[in-house]
Amino acid sequence: MKSALYTAIAMVTATGTANATDWRVVPEDSTLGIIGLLNGAPFEGAFLEYDTSISFDPDDPSSATIDVVIDTGSLDTDNEQRDNTARGSDLFSVAEYPTAQFTASGFAAQGDDAYVTEGQLTIRDVTQEVTLPFTLTINGDRAHAVGELAINRIDFGVGRGQWASSDPVAHEITVTIDIVAEATN
């Protein structure tokens, strides 16, 4: 499943033009992560399992599609107690909402290797429109995308009970992507 959510931000549907290329994420070279503040100190984590579907034609970025389905229970912050807390009902509520999803259609070229896409991020059955700026370089049949977006976890219902406050976990979480993919057609 890990080679599939690549689960930042976790499936990309190939419905682009006839010239669009389908891309397969290379999990060992890719990271879908988060950055936040806990008690004022930064922490980082990565989702280890996700499925992706990506279709992209460099000559027609507006036809691109991406769908990423993330196994929220696969979050690894290098701290078992923090990870178990994140999986609980007050945060990701993995038992009830085992996945998060990001879908987008169309990339807008911003010059050089910069792009932006508008998409929908769903966490805990709450969907919000988000904007993901990223850079994309393609070398032969290998692509590398790097980007990040800030979200307010409370907007997605991630933070109930004692976790609703910005103490101890800040409301703003940065979702990061560092994805390497290979063309499949």
Side-chain angles (χ1 to χ4, degrees):
M1 184 166 178
K2 180 178 177 181
S3 64
L5 162 336
Y6 280 109
T7 212
I9 148 107
M11 246 186 192
V12 179
T13 306
T15 60
T17 67
N19 294 327
T21 299
D22 294 337
W23 299 85
R24 181 192 68 80
V25 170
V26 180
E28 59 271 15
D29 295 335
S30 301
T31 304
L32 176 61
I34 60 168
I35 301 170
L37 291 175
L38 176 62
N39 296 321
F43 72 91
E44 294 184 25
F47 293 97
L48 304 179
E49 296 183 24
Y50 50 91
D51 291 318
T52 60
S53 174
I54 302 168
S55 179
F56 176 70
D57 176 0
D59 295 326
D60 185 14
S62 66
S63 70
T65 60
I66 184 166
D67 184 14
V68 181
V69 177
I70 305 160
D71 177 349
T72 55
S74 73
L75 178 64
D76 182 358
T77 65
D78 233 5
N79 180 302
E80 187 174 347
Q81 181 180 359
R82 181 171 48 218
D83 297 345
N84 287 335
T85 299
R87 292 180 187 108
S89 61
D90 286 339
L91 293 169
F92 280 117
S93 191
V94 171
E96 189 172 357
Y97 307 102
T99 62
Q101 185 172 17
F102 174 74
T103 59
S105 296
F107 298 165
Q110 304 293 295
D112 296 324
D113 295 331
Y115 293 86
V116 67
T117 190
E118 305 287 327
Q120 295 189 338
L121 178 62
T122 303
I123 305 172
R124 285 186 66 122
D125 217 20
V126 175
T127 302
Q128 298 278 326
E129 294 288 327
V130 296
T131 301
L132 174 63
F134 61 98
T135 58
L136 176 65
T137 55
I138 299 176
N139 187 5
D141 67 349
R142 201 162 164 95
H144 184 207
V146 177
E148 64 180 45
L149 66 99
I151 63 169
N152 183 327
R153 65 183 176 83
I154 298 301
D155 290 346
F156 294 92
V158 179
R160 298 177 182 205
Q162 70 176 349
W163 302 104
S165 167
S166 59
D167 285 334
V169 179
H171 286 176
E172 183 173 291
I173 300 291
T174 301
V175 178
T176 62
I177 65 162
D178 188 343
I179 302 298
V180 173
E182 296 175 338
T184 63
N185 59 339

